[in-house]
Amino acid sequence: MPPTTPYDPVDQTGVVIEGLDVGAVVADIHEQGYRVVEGFLDSSLMQTIERAFNTEVMFTEMRAIGTSTGRTWRAHNLLAKTRAADPVFLDPRLRAIVDGVIGQYSQINIATLFNTLPGETRQALHQDDGLWPIPRPHPSFLCNVIIAFDEFTRAKGATHVVPFSHTWTKPVDQSVESIQVELEPGSAIFWEGGLWHGGGANTTATSERMGFFISHLVSYLRPSDLQLVSVPRDVVREMPKKLQRLLGYYPFGNGVDGRDPLDTLYDGIVVHPDARLAEHWRQQD
Ligand SMILES: O=C(O)CCC(=O)C(=O)O
Ligand SMILES: [Fe+2]
C-alpha cells in the first residue's frame, strides 16, 4: 500500500449525515462512476434558490454560451452573483461526498445553471476531466453534481451516462450504450470526472430542463472557471471561511509572500513581511 497523503480521498465508510449514507454514495461513485441522491435539496431551500436564480441571476445572465446549438442556456459564475445557493456549497452531505471522491482539499471548479430548452439536441459523450491533459488511469481529481430544478425526464434530456466508464483509458465510440438518468426536482446525480456522459436531447415542445451544476476539483490543479479571478474580493471577504477556501484561497507552496492567501483578503497583498506569517500549511482547514 502506498503511503497516504493529505490529498487522498477520505474514507467515508459508515459515515451517515442527515440520514444519508455518505459512505455508500461515495463507494458507488468510486465503483460505477456515478450515483443518484434522491431528495437532495428540500423544497423550501430549493424555492429560495429558484427565486434568487430567477430574480438575481437568470433573467439577466442566462444565455447560450458554451454550446453550438444555442438551445442550452447557461448562467455561469454563480458564486459572484447570488448568496442564495451558499448553503448548498457548504452542505455537510455534499462536502462529505466530495471529500470521499477527491479528498478534503478541493475547490469549486464550476458553478453554473444549465437550462436545456426544447429543441436541444443530444450532447456528445465526454469526460469532464478531459480538460486537464493528465494520462489515464489517474486518481480521481474531479467530482461533479447536477441538482435537478425541473423534472429530468428522458424526453426533456435527462443526462446520459455510461456506467463504470470512469476508469476506461481509451475514448468511447459515440454509439456506446448509455443510460439516461431521470431525476425528480430536488434530486441530484453525482459523478466522477472520468465518467463518459452527456446531456440528452430535449424533444418536448415546451418543457425546460433546469439544473444546478457544481463541479469540484482538487485544490492543486487550475480550475476551469477561475474562481480567484471571477469572484470580486469584496464579495469573498463577506463569505464564510470554508467558502473562501473553496474558491481557491488555499495555502500552497509559498502562499502569498509566506502568508495564507486568505489573509491577503484583509491585509492586502503587499504588507510588512512579518504580517501574519502562516505557521504551517497543514494546520489549515
Ligand atoms: O446537461 C447535462 O445533463 C450534462 C451537461 C454536461 O455534461 C456538460 O456540459 O459538461
Ligand atoms: Fe459534462
Side-chain angles (χ1 to χ4, degrees):
M1 284 272 284
T4 55
T5 80
Y7 292 104
D8 286 340
V10 175
D11 180 1
Q12 304 291 35
T13 313
V15 172
V16 176
I17 301 176
E18 294 168 18
L20 178 68
D21 186 342
V22 168
V25 171
V26 169
D28 280 350
I29 298 170
H30 281 306
E31 197 198 322
Q32 63 180 16
Y34 73 100
R35 167 67 197 261
V36 171
V37 178
E38 281 166 11
F40 185 71
L41 274 196
D42 70 54
S43 55
S44 76
L45 179 58
M46 217 167 90
Q47 275 173 19
T48 308
I49 295 175
E50 252 188 311
R51 204 174 307 122
F53 282 163
N54 279 319
T55 52
E56 299 169 37
V57 176
M58 199 170 100
F59 289 142
T60 51
E61 295 291 343
M62 285 301 266
R63 59 197 191 282
I65 51 175
T67 69
S68 52
T69 55
R71 302 301 297 159
T72 298
W73 281 26
R74 297 188 172 188
H76 288 270
N77 197 20
L78 291 178
L79 280 149
K81 295 172 182 171
T82 176
R83 301 275 58 79
D86 287 1
V88 181
F89 297 100
L90 297 171
D91 185 303
R93 298 164 305 161
L94 178 116
R95 297 267 41 95
I97 293 169
V98 174
D99 290 357
V101 177
I102 59 172
Q104 63 186 308
Y105 296 107
S106 66
Q107 61 188 323
I108 294 158
N109 178 49
I110 301 174
T112 293
L113 281 180
F114 286 4
N115 198 7
T116 302
L117 305 177
E120 177 58 294
T121 53
R122 189 176 157 175
Q123 190 183 36
L125 293 170
H126 60 278
Q127 294 168 297
D128 289 335
D129 69 5
L131 184 63
W132 294 266
I134 300 177
R136 301 175 195 278
H138 55 58
S140 298
F141 61 77
L142 191 71
C143 177
N144 291 349
V145 60
I146 294 182
I147 305 167
F149 273 70
D150 292 316
E151 213 182 348
F152 277 33
T153 60
R154 293 159 73 97
K156 283 208 251 172
T159 313
H160 289 259
V161 304
V162 183
F164 302 99
S165 61
H166 59 306
T167 57
W168 298 355
T169 53
K170 299 268 182 332
V172 297
D173 192 300
Q174 286 295 323
S175 60
V176 68
E177 197 179 331
S178 62
I179 56 171
Q180 268 187 290
V181 179
E182 297 195 306
L183 299 173
E184 292 294 327
S187 293
I189 175 172
F190 287 82
W191 67 96
E192 202 270 355
L195 187 77
W196 287 89
H197 71 285
N202 186 340
T203 56
T204 69
T206 55
S207 300
E208 302 186 359
R209 198 215 71 172
M210 174 75 89
F212 177 18
F213 176 68
I214 305 176
S215 171
H216 282 86
L217 176 71
V218 289
S219 64
Y220 53 82
L221 291 176
R222 176 184 169 96
S224 152
D225 295 6
L226 297 172
Q227 309 291 337
L228 286 172
V229 175
S230 307
V231 187
R233 286 164 71 83
D234 55 351
V235 173
V236 181
R237 241 178 249 126
E238 301 303 318
M239 289 178 169
K241 185 171 177 184
K242 180 65 184 174
L243 204 47
Q244 295 172 329
R245 289 277 188 238
L246 287 169
L247 289 174
Y249 288 83
Y250 272 106
F252 196 61
N254 294 320
V256 180
D257 212 0
R259 288 180 296 140
D260 184 329
L262 256 191
D263 292 340
T264 69
L265 284 170
Y266 306 98
D267 294 353
I269 290 176
V270 180
V271 293
H272 188 277
D274 290 338
R276 291 209 217 171
L277 278 177
E279 285 169 24
H280 197 295
W281 295 150
R282 295 270 180 263
Q283 289 168 6
Q284 300 302 323
D285 46 307

